[in-house]
Amino acid sequence: MSERPTIVLVDDSPELRALVGARLRASGLFEVVGEGADGGEAMMLAHEHSPSLMLLDTSMPVLDGLECLPLVLAVSPETRVVMYTGFSGRGLADRARELGASDFVEKSVPLDVLVDRLWRQVADAHGYAGLGGIGARGLPGDPPPRPPRPLRVAGEADVDEVRDQKTLDEHLERYREVFDQAAIGMATMTLNGSIVRANQALLDMVGRPADHLIGLDYGVLTRQHGDHLDEALARITEGGEDLVAFEHPIDSGAGIRTVRVTLTPVRDSKGSALYAFAQIQDATAELELRRSEEIFRLLVTAVKDYAIFMLDVDGNVASWNAGAAHIKGYRADEVVGRHFRLFYPAEEQAAGHPEHNLELALRDGVHAEEGWRVRRDGSRFWARVVITAVHDEAGRLRGFAKITRDQSEQRAHEEERRRALEQQAQLLAVTAHELRTPAAVVEGAVAMLRDGGDELDPQERAQVLEAMASSARRLQRLVTDLGTASDVQTEALALAPEVVSLRRTLMSSADRVHAAHGTARIQTRVDQEVDFVADPARLGQALDNLLENAYRHGRPPIALTGERTDDGVRVTVSDAGPGVEQRLVGRLFERFAHAGTTAGTGLGLYLVREIARLHGGDARYLVEGPGGRPAFVLDLPMSPQVPRN
């Protein structure tokens, strides 16, 4: 008695294995010798039983049917393998047959048809070639097996079922059309990642024909990012997730692109995943945009020179960057959600100026202005502000972008530049005035000597010559002061220090002023002989300026004193006058500071202080000096602290 053909059932659904197994046993044609749930068990069962047939599911976790099919045939070459699949498509069937499958049966066929097709695989081997299928006889020498259930033929009672099947077929055909004609890539995969169906968009995306893609592990397309696919499939099969997405590079044939894969499982009535449906979209442009947005976000977040933040439609702060925190002094958690009016001075808040700025930005698209703003600590700074209305694609107002830059330093520089220009203009005016008088004296004296010199008596001639000499000295002092001021401005002023006598230095300066102004009364006093290191020419220039200032603006007598101090020497110049006007005391030593258009260039005292500081000392004005008289004081060290040659 010949044995019935043996069969092994491999499917990850125990319910399906039970149903098919029961139907095969009921047919009396097969002996079910084993069941398995994945490709690994299929190989073990093939090795153990060498069955006549194996009904092998296409999609299973760990190792799917297409992957294990060649391995099963290697273990048991005589076994005929019938692929049992929930997928459809000629490409998949062709791929299965290329790998060695003897038939390809869709799970949608009735069980009676499945039994018939399985029997056809082994009928020739058991002498039933002439039956053309399942006959009334069993195997030779055996009692007749129980006949299989007859294939159902539609009759009057089956009208509803036929109509339902037709509707189902129409839906299936419609789905296939949508699948094949979709603009984005679509694929159906086994639970182990093998592609069993792919649409034209995916074929175009990867630049491969269908027969190269069907049966291929999708991980091959990910350019060494197959771990992303494995993780996504594990989250579906083991984690029970219904939607998993990941990105990977792909070779499109025209270059490397980036795609986003969205996996959705198709589950049975028990919730177990049967296979995975994938949507593959080219995300290269989106990714580049996302990267650009991220770079921009990082840039905005990191930049510290500009406060860049968003306001909602009502003017409340919606975002905050490092520059805003740096300039305005608020942390993000202290300011987000608050109205931006808090950055304005109280008087502008009361006048509604912040809200007015938003109205202007909304009306004109952008509004820019400069003005005072307030930091968290209450201090003010001068700001350059740009407010831009932000709309979405539909034209709806989404808020306002606000950029603020602290312009305090630039404003100070501009103010300094303005003052410098004013000072230069003033210097030119004062210098012109200073030049006009001595030039007129010299011109008049020359004309007098040229035209009537012979008629002048000796005393008149001497007075004319003294006037010319005095004017020449005045011009020379003006030239010297201008040159020294220029050197200070360009940091070119240098010292040539040597050992000097305090007494001789003061006496020399007094003699020079006496020579220039014969009526000058200067009382010079030095209590003890003191030698120190200084530049005699520069120090003499400073002393001359102090004495000249006292002679021109004070009252005689002028007192010039020198003394030794703990750190060096001190020179004091005072007179019997009322002293400097209170309004000028604070800026006496500033460049171009003067009491009026007839008060000189305003460089003399400025140079006194600069020369003193160049020696490592300083100059100051005392409202009550020695004897209660106003005085200028010059303090110098015993030796210049920073010698310059």
Side-chain angles (χ1 to χ4, degrees), residues 410-429:
Q410 290 83 347
R411 179 180 170 85
H413 289 164
E414 184 61 29
E415 183 65 20
E416 178 64 24
R417 179 175 175 273
R418 184 188 62 79
R419 286 198 299 267
L421 291 174
E422 290 178 354
Q423 290 173 347
Q424 289 177 9
Q426 182 181 0
L427 174 63
L428 291 174

Side-chain angles (χ1 to χ4, degrees), residues 212-352:
H212 286 191
L213 214 56
I214 302 302
L216 183 70
D217 186 337
Y218 185 86
V220 174
L221 303 177
T222 64
R223 293 185 61 83
Q224 301 180 351
H225 288 73
D227 54 326
H228 295 348
L229 173 65
D230 296 339
E231 179 184 354
L233 290 172
R235 288 166 63 184
I236 287 175
T237 57
E238 301 172 13
E241 297 187 36
D242 289 326
L243 186 68
V244 181
F246 63 94
E247 295 176 354
H248 68 83
I250 195 169
D251 189 350
S252 65
I256 305 301
R257 311 286 292 175
T258 299
V259 297
R260 178 180 297 109
V261 180
T262 304
L263 289 182
T264 304
V266 177
R267 302 184 184 276
D268 60 18
S269 59
K270 302 291 185 179
S272 299
L274 299 175
Y275 53 91
F277 178 72
Q279 297 182 69
I280 302 97
Q281 294 176 278
D282 190 337
T284 305
E286 178 185 344
L287 183 61
E288 290 300 321
L289 177 61
R290 197 165 67 205
R291 287 175 179 168
S292 298
E293 290 175 344
E294 179 65 12
I295 292 173
F296 177 73
R297 185 189 67 80
L298 292 174
L299 176 64
V300 168
T301 302
V303 68
K304 290 188 176 181
D305 291 336
Y306 293 84
I308 304 174
F309 54 97
M310 288 292 298
L311 305 176
D312 64 20
V313 294
D314 296 319
N316 300 310
V317 177
S319 68
W320 201 243
N321 79 324
H326 174 71
I327 293 174
K328 297 179 181 291
Y330 291 92
R331 300 191 310 270
D333 60 344
E334 295 176 317
V335 74
V336 171
R338 300 176 65 182
H339 198 278
F340 85 114
R341 69 169 66 90
L342 70 101
F343 306 133
Y344 287 74
E347 61 273 15
E348 293 193 1
Q349 292 187 38

